[in-house]
Amino acid sequence: GNSVTQMEGPVTLSEEAFLTINCTYTATGYPSLFWYVQYPGEGLQLLLKATKADDKGSNKGFEATYRKETTSFHLEKGSVQVSDSAVYFCALTPSNTGGFKTIFGAGTRLFVKA
Amino acid sequence: GAGVSQTPSNKVTEKGKYVELRCDPISGHTALYWYRQSLGQGPEFLIYFQGTGAADDSGLPNDRFFAVRPEGSVSTLKIQRTERGDSAVYLCASSLNVGANTGELFFGEGSRLTVL
């Protein structure tokens, strides 16, 4: 079946450090891939997305590239800030369901220290 | 505001009681989704509505769970004979584009249900 696996947290970094959160997926066909973020006290919101192989999604300094050959969608940021502290969820929408059933990973909590 | 609104934000009930959770989606969004998020886990799909009809209810865990969207806007998730294992945050999301699998989900802040 379809599934998403992401690295366990928490991840603790100092400000301006480089961030990578790994995400791999299992799906048939060509799913769309997403990263959602949940800041403390807020609802989940879309951070970035990629809809086909080799696409790169980017937003707020974060990037992720859709790698079909490795079934991965790792999240990266070159220099994190304290305000990036949040829980990050990798997600996919399978191509055979018309976009109706987005499947989420378990989430990775990021703490950024000043 | 113009976001997805969920009420109540917190609900504490006793085992065996009936609970209703309400979701008011973004105006104009035809698709509405319910998810359940347990502590330390990602959101788990429950049900999806396109307009008034449930297009996919395959994620509902059992027949104690039911959801309606009678006028194609507000939705209510209903849980009968609640059990302690039903304790979780219930998330509602809506989206505009249902014709392709590229649509962004807009989430509410959730309803935290605690069953004692």
Side-chain angles (χ1 to χ4, degrees):
Chain A
N2 301 304
S3 66
V4 175
T5 302
Q6 58 184 108
M7 64 188 287
E8 288 189 23
V11 174
T12 303
L13 297 173
S14 297
E15 210 166 21
E16 299 184 3
F18 184 85
L19 168 72
T20 300
I21 300 178
N22 291 336
C23 171
T24 56
Y25 68 90
T26 301
T28 55
Y30 294 87
S32 291
L33 302 175
F34 306 84
W35 278 99
Y36 281 81
V37 59
Q38 187 169 30
Y39 297 104
E42 299 184 16
L44 276 84
Q45 56 188 275
L46 180 68
L47 179 60
L48 54 84
K49 70 179 183 183
T51 58
K52 60 183 187 294
D54 300 325
D55 267 3
K56 178 185 285 187
S58 62
N59 186 25
K60 299 182 180 180
F62 291 88
E63 292 183 340
T65 301
Y66 189 143
R67 300 289 188 198
K68 179 76 173 170
E69 64 276 13
T70 55
T71 62
S72 65
F73 193 55
H74 304 321
L75 183 68
E76 296 183 336
K77 186 174 186 182
S79 176
V80 293
Q81 305 300 312
V82 172
S83 58
D84 294 326
S85 297
V87 183
Y88 293 82
F89 294 91
C90 186
L92 71 81
T93 303
S95 58
N96 62 348
T97 64
F100 307 149
K101 187 186 292 187
T102 301
I103 297 165
F104 290 83
T108 303
R109 183 175 295 276
L110 170 66
F111 292 104
V112 180
K113 303 179 297 183
Chain B
V4 176
S5 176
Q6 291 188 246
T7 55
S9 55
N10 276 287
K11 175 70 176 179
V12 180
T13 191
E14 293 180 344
K15 180 175 179 295
K17 298 291 188 182
Y18 170 80
V19 166
E20 288 190 353
L21 306 175
R22 174 189 166 105
C23 173
D24 198 342
I26 292 173
S27 177
H29 281 193
T30 56
L32 184 145
Y33 311 75
W34 283 100
Y35 282 80
R36 178 169 68 176
Q37 187 175 18
S38 300
L39 191 63
Q41 300 297 313
E44 173 193 15
F45 172 83
L46 296 178
I47 187 171
Y48 150 73
F49 287 89
Q50 169 57 26
T52 60
D56 184 344
D57 64 358
S58 62
L60 295 177
N62 51 60
D63 61 5
R64 296 187 297 106
F65 288 75
F66 190 71
V68 296
R69 195 186 185 200
E71 297 178 358
S73 179
V74 171
S75 176
T76 304
L77 178 65
K78 308 180 180 195
I79 310 173
Q80 299 177 324
R81 305 183 303 280
T82 52
E83 299 177 357
R84 292 192 180 88
D86 298 335
S87 296
V89 176
Y90 289 82
L91 300 173
C92 178
S94 67
S95 71
L96 183 60
N97 184 350
V98 296
N101 60 358
T102 62
E104 172 183 358
L105 297 181
F106 293 83
F107 281 89
E109 293 188 20
S111 293
R112 181 177 299 277
L113 174 65
T114 303
V115 181
L116 301 177

